[in-house]
Amino acid sequence: MKRIVIREEYCMGCRLCEIHCLVQHSKSKEIVKAYKGEFPKALPRVLVEEQGYLSFALQCRHCEDAPCLEACMTGSLHRDAETGAVICDENKCVGCWMCIMVCPLGVIARNTEGKKAASKCDLCAGEKMPVCVQNCPNEAITFEER
Ligand code: SF4
Ligand code: SF4
């Protein structure tokens, strides 16, 4: 499957990936409305980690042997048959946070505004490539067959 690959040597920590991800997962898909006019506000599904000069974008790796899939009792977390992405059906999620407890990378967020639901990378279903990849000015995030 095609996977997001991080090249931390090119990441400047600009956080454009977080901004584009939040906008992509908002209702309006317009930046000002997404940040200032929507409730519940969308969450970014990628987070930039920084320490000193080191920074990199961290999001779900869509693990082959994904512990979050095993832990989800409602079946809201599932694998997309076409893309192989691990997806959360937020309508089915009951907010038990078991997935958060078992994910080794800590890349699932709790959305507690509005309906309680797990929030995670979905590889921007419907886009030819994830928006964090499309909008990284330094190609510090790429989308490759692995
Ligand atoms: S949420 Fe965590 S455990 Fe689940 S597929 Fe992504 S990285 Fe793996
Ligand atoms: S929080 Fe939602 S997605 Fe995560 S394990 Fe519970 S029901 Fe499944």
Side-chain angles (χ1 to χ4, degrees), residues 65-130:
D65 190 12
C68 60
L69 289 178
E70 292 291 322
C72 181
M73 62 178 172
T74 64
S76 76
L77 283 178
H78 60 283
R79 195 177 295 280
D80 184 90
E82 204 175 308
T83 64
V86 173
I87 306 285
C88 180
D89 179 344
E90 296 183 10
N91 292 320
K92 284 190 188 170
C93 178
V94 293
C96 69
W97 313 138
M98 284 302 293
C99 52
I100 292 174
M101 284 190 255
V102 300
C103 173
L105 297 181
V107 290
I108 305 179
R110 290 181 304 159
N111 190 348
T112 53
E113 289 185 8
K115 184 188 180 304
K116 256 190 357 178
S119 174
K120 68 176 293 304
C121 169
D122 57 1
L123 293 182
C124 294
E127 293 287 326
K128 67 179 187 316
M129 74 171 66

